[in-house]
Amino acid sequence: MPDSFALQSRIGFLMDGIADTDLMSAVYEHDALGVRVRVPYHVSADDVRSRWWSPGIMFADDPDRSKYSYDPPSELDYYDSEGAVGLVGCRGVPAKQRFSGGKPAVGVGIIRASYAVEGAGLAENYVKLNGLRSDIDGLAYWLGYSALTSTFSFKKDGTGGSMTTTAEPVDDMKLGRSLNLRAVARASSSGQQTPEVTYRSEVFLQTFTKTSTSWDDHLTIHFGVRNLLRIAAWKPLSFQSHAAASTKEAFVLKEVEQQPWYPVRTARTSISEAIWAARDRFLFTYADIGRVGVGRWLKLASRYARGIDPLIHLLDLEGATIDAHVMQLGVALEAVGYQALIDAGQTPAVANAMNVKGRIDLLIAEVGNAVTFSTTTFAQDLADSYNSVKHANRAPVAPAKKLEHYRRGVQLLRAWIGLRLGVKEAVIRDRW
């Protein structure tokens, strides 16, 4: 696992916003499991913060626990020699306490934060935010978008040539109206004083609104695009990093108001190492669906969430049995088929009464020749595999057959999604 996902810690101070309390010494740490702050405290009524970790303890000066707070503030500000960190969505977890003879009892409390904005002026400015950027594995390849341009020139006699790479500002790529969804590209290089110069283009997904909105509002769209890439690639592509912006911390540069973008630490988005390679291929790309297709996907993913979510989560079942894969695929097919029947004009009662085979048949009719396998008996075959796992009284199906049916079922749903987004049938069939 990359170092950025390993445990990293810093020692500094925590401010709780309570006027009559002192700064707290604290250890700020983060890893793949999330953000934590460890705080030493005296187990005493004189240390107000010790009450944050006092479940089941009755204090004589506050028997009904109404005078003081018994939970840490939801926003806390941390700072040390490396800078400030705004902690958002804080909550206390059980602490360790030790009583030593003749010395004050000491405890170490743990605070978990949903988000840590590194560099934030104040955590309260990021309870809601104006902008969120995400680096998503494979995004630049899927968009075909870069801040670098390379030009090749060759001599007429064929004896050699040259290549020139330029890194210039490029226009943002508008992807949708929801929270002004777009992609932004930024170029960087290793400098001109080194024997080898490395150029790099970074592409981020961005949402930004003048009126601040919740993290969930931003993340719903970012997860939506990440999941679209997963469907197109059929690989567990993940977030690589995030950055947040708040207009409450804006500054003026060359008479233009701008917002700083600060790195965000969180475990909510399951950040993991990149796996996309230039040799990999998508079933469809942005060029195939365009901005309209992205909008269609966000609506489709919401309306068909009961089926599309289990389909996408199949990519997280690495190491699970074929039965587990077939079971979850069956859930996806049943839910997608049910909603497709309703969208086709059937009542919920009629759609609910349709068996698995009937729902798969409906999807087969919609995809036409976009799949590469014979669909003559496929609906019944896949239904038999699904039911053999779901029901103990059904005839078992050989593992090799279940694997074949599973792979074809995934192809069916990916083709159905691609067609719904505007990809041509021939394009999908040619890229399997």
Side-chain angles (χ1 to χ4, degrees), residues 5-10 14 26-39 76 78 85 87 90-91 93 109-116 118 265-267:
F5 303 140
L7 177 64
Q8 298 184 43
S9 60
R10 295 157 50 175
L14 199 64
V27 175
Y28 163 63
E29 61 184 34
H30 57 83
D31 56 17
L33 298 179
V35 176
R36 297 171 298 279
V37 181
R38 299 182 185 274
V39 184
L76 288 164
Y78 167 93
V85 181
L87 302 169
C90 297
R91 57 202 180 278
V93 297
I110 299 176
I111 297 172
R112 293 190 179 274
S114 297
Y115 308 99
E118 296 185 341
R265 306 285 184 182
T266 181

Side-chain angles (χ1 to χ4, degrees), residues 68-80:
Y68 298 98
S69 172
Y70 290 85
D71 294 294
S74 58
E75 288 76 52
L76 288 164
D77 290 290
Y78 167 93
Y79 71 96
D80 59 22

Side-chain angles (χ1 to χ4, degrees), residues 85-103:
V85 181
L87 302 169
V88 179
C90 297
R91 57 202 180 278
V93 297
K96 291 183 179 181
Q97 299 179 352
R98 181 176 292 277
F99 295 84
S100 301
K103 295 182 180 180

